[in-house]
Amino acid sequence: MKIELIGLLTIALGMAIFLAPVHRAFAIMVFSTLFGAGAAFSLPGLGGASVLVPSVFLVFYGLRIYVAYGEGPILGAFAPPRAGFWLLLLTVYAVATAFFLPRLMEDLTETMSVQRLAAGRSSISLTPLTPSTNNITQAFYALGGLACFAVTFAYLRMTEAPARLIRAMLVLAAANLGFAVLDVATYYAGGAEIFDFVRTANYALLTGSEKAGFKRISGTFSEASAFAGYTSVLFAFIGSLWLDRVRSLLTGIVALLLLAALVLSTSATGMVVLAVLSIYLGMRSAGGSVLKSSIGRPAFISATLLAIPLFVLLVLLAMPDVLEGVTSYLNEILFSKLDSQSGRERFMWNAVAYQVFLDTWGWGAGLGSARASSYLLVLLSNIGLPGTLLFVIFVGSILLPRVSRGDGIDLEAKIGRACKAGIVAGLAEAFVSGTVYDLGLLFYVLAGTVAALHSAALQQAKSPEPPVETLSGLAPLRRSGR
């Protein structure tokens, strides 16, 4: 086992949180998700598979919450018909497919899978279906997502401190922007090796590429598309808070900076997600503003929609040469994507994944057995139609219920809407270019937050009296944390 310096720091920090208030564990857990290409250590026994910083800290985060509140609140996340119940069923089924389906359907079809080579290197190639280390690693990632969801649910139900997520996400966004600026600055200054400290995973690192004359921002991630996907989640969350007038000045500035970073990343995936978010947030804001004047910004949205065409027309009339440059830029990052080698390769992945789904009669090849370039095909080719249906039910149970029984303008409701916006962004990014089942721990932090807020709203609706502690640990406690 090879331990990296960032891994030693993660372990030391994880041990230190047992001497600090429980809120510190939550804040650091959120912050740790920023290191998407930071491996704490690698496992030679699994072909050199990287164990990322967020996954390592998740162990300490879970233990800290368990020490503070016991197992009751954590297990309470899985009580039916809560969203955690459906996530539990999905994860158990997915892990079962990882161990059984590759053996039951061995050599039945061919899949695109990661082949781990010497010196920690890996490649993706078309191979006959067979059990591999990918089944084990993806199963652990699925269990990690389940644990992160449950522990976050327990933390928020017991502390009643959802507002701490706002502070954590603002700090996270600031750090992400800081690393983005540093990434560009060190690239042009010839000091890109400074990022070797946080890019320790054995992934293929595409951090020095340019497109349309711009340095593609990758930050702490392995490539620009990963940075754009992560940044889009932060933008959705903080942009939603701004629309709901939560710390308007601060959230507005941070959202604008995140938007600029997202555009400058020159990622086609980021542009598609941005379009989805514009529609989602615009419709939500306009709809909410009809009845609730304190949420949504219809005047700003209407003015923006009218001003953008006028601004574009003015620029084209004043500087006609700009049109050619803009057209070339859009053609390179969007329209010519399918004609590129990367586009053709990913289209082949999707074609193979769909064939796997057909060849396995809709059961899939097992979690971790197949790769695709769209999350829908990842689900169908790995866990089949049953697993895909469970995933749809889980997502529906997160996104559809309200998180407040009141008029929807309290802080908890606004945080819930921000979390849902972040989840929509994460799902949009995954369905455009997701290659594996794992959606990242930030996704499960947001999902666990929504589930906790929804649970609190249901309990408040059932009992107007102040809640008291129960043996199951499901009722919130009026405490600041241990």
Side-chain angles (χ1 to χ4, degrees):
M1 181 174 65
K2 179 184 177 182
I3 301 180
E4 304 288 347
L5 176 58
I6 193 173
L8 293 175
L9 294 176
T10 302
I11 293 172
L13 189 60
M15 296 176 66
I17 65 170
F18 288 93
L19 303 177
V22 69
H23 300 302
R24 296 288 185 271
F26 175 71
I28 297 173
M29 183 67 245
V30 173
F31 187 81
S32 72
T33 62
L34 179 61
F35 301 99
F41 54 85
S42 58
L43 300 173
L46 293 178
S50 297
V51 180
L52 300 181
V53 167
S55 298
V56 173
F57 190 80
L58 173 62
V59 176
F60 297 98
Y61 173 52
L63 288 174
R64 184 66 183 90
I65 301 302
Y66 172 78
V67 169
Y69 306 119
E71 74 282 358
I74 298 174
L75 296 178
F78 307 129
R82 292 193 175 108
F85 171 74
W86 298 108
L87 180 60
L88 176 64
L89 292 183
L90 170 62
T91 304
V92 170
Y93 178 77
V95 172
T97 66
F99 289 96
F100 292 108
L101 289 186
R103 292 165 174 81
L104 292 175
M105 301 186 182
E106 188 169 2
D107 295 327
L108 181 64
T109 185
E110 291 185 317
T111 67
M112 299 298 302
S113 60
V114 175
Q115 303 299 311
R116 303 193 184 279
L117 308 175
R121 298 180 179 179
S122 61
S123 65
I124 300 177
S125 57
L126 185 63
T127 59
L129 174 60
T130 186
S132 69
T133 58
N134 299 313
N135 301 121
I136 300 175
T137 56
Q138 286 299 308
F140 273 105
Y141 278 125
L143 291 172
L146 178 69
C148 186
F149 174 93
V151 173
T152 300
F153 175 93
Y155 164 76
L156 290 171
R157 289 293 285 116
M158 298 301 291
T159 62
E160 288 189 317
R164 291 185 179 271
L165 179 61
I166 297 178
R167 291 192 285 271
M169 291 292 280
L170 286 171
V171 172
L172 182 62
N176 185 51
L177 290 168
F179 277 115
V181 172
L182 191 61
D183 178 36
V184 175
T186 54
Y187 174 78
Y188 288 111
E193 63 275 3
I194 194 175
F195 273 86
D196 292 345
F197 173 71
V198 295
R199 295 173 183 159
T200 54
N202 61 1
Y203 307 149
L205 298 178
L206 306 175
T207 58
S209 59
E210 295 184 8
K211 182 167 288 189
F214 292 96
K215 161 69 171 74
R216 304 194 70 195
I217 303 175
S218 53
T220 55
F221 296 87
S222 59
E223 58 180 344
S225 61
F227 169 82
Y230 187 85
T231 302
S232 66
V233 175
L234 298 178
F235 169 72
F237 182 93
I238 295 175
S240 175
L241 292 178
W242 178 78
L243 287 173
D244 283 346
R245 293 177 168 82
V246 178
R247 300 187 185 180
S248 292
L249 179 60
L250 180 58
T251 56
I253 293 174
V254 174
L256 185 61
L257 293 174
L258 289 170
L259 176 61
L262 191 57
V263 173
L264 293 176
S265 69
T266 68
S267 168
T269 298
M271 297 301 102
V272 173
V273 176
L274 185 58
V276 173
L277 284 176
S278 298
I279 297 173
Y280 173 79
L281 292 176
M283 293 180 62
R284 196 200 72 183
S285 178
S289 300
V290 173
L291 299 176
K292 308 176 185 71
S293 59
S294 62
I295 63 173
R297 296 177 182 267
F300 174 83
I301 294 174
S302 300
T304 301
L305 293 177
L306 291 174
I308 288 177
L310 295 176
F311 176 76
V312 171
L313 180 60
L314 178 62
V315 170
L316 293 180
L317 290 175
M319 296 176 287
D321 292 340
V322 172
L323 178 60
E324 182 178 352
V326 172
T327 302
S328 175
Y329 173 78
L330 292 177
N331 181 67
E332 188 167 350
I333 70 169
L334 290 176
F335 306 131
S336 63
K337 184 70 174 179
L338 292 178
D339 294 331
S340 66
Q341 179 181 353
S342 174
R344 290 192 296 268
E345 183 180 72
R346 289 177 177 269
F347 182 80
M348 183 185 71
W349 293 6
N350 289 338
V352 171
Y354 182 67
Q355 189 60 47
V356 169
F357 173 70
L358 297 178
D359 290 343
T360 57
W361 306 292
W363 289 102
L367 182 63
S369 294
R371 288 214 170 196
S373 188
S374 171
Y375 198 67
L376 176 60
L377 289 169
V378 168
L379 293 174
L380 292 175
S381 62
N382 281 265
I383 57 178
L385 192 58
T388 302
L389 291 176
L390 285 174
F391 179 82
V392 171
I393 296 174
F394 164 65
V395 171
S397 64
I398 289 293
L399 295 181
L400 295 181
R402 296 177 58 185
V403 295
S404 173
R405 70 164 183 156
D407 57 7
I409 62 174
D410 56 290
L411 182 61
E412 287 75 15
K414 294 176 180 180
I415 294 173
R417 283 196 293 273
C419 289
K420 289 183 179 182
I423 291 171
V424 169
L427 290 174
E429 184 271 336
F431 276 90
V432 170
S433 61
T435 59
V436 294
Y437 174 84
D438 179 43
L439 290 169
L441 293 184
L442 183 59
F443 176 89
Y444 292 103
V445 167
L446 298 180
T449 300
V450 174
L453 292 174
H454 179 227
S455 175
L458 284 179
Q459 183 168 328
Q460 183 184 17
K462 291 178 180 178
S463 176
E465 298 298 325
V468 295
E469 182 179 4
T470 65
L471 292 178
S472 65
L474 299 184
L477 299 179
R478 303 287 182 178
R479 66 179 78 178
S480 59
R482 300 181 187 174

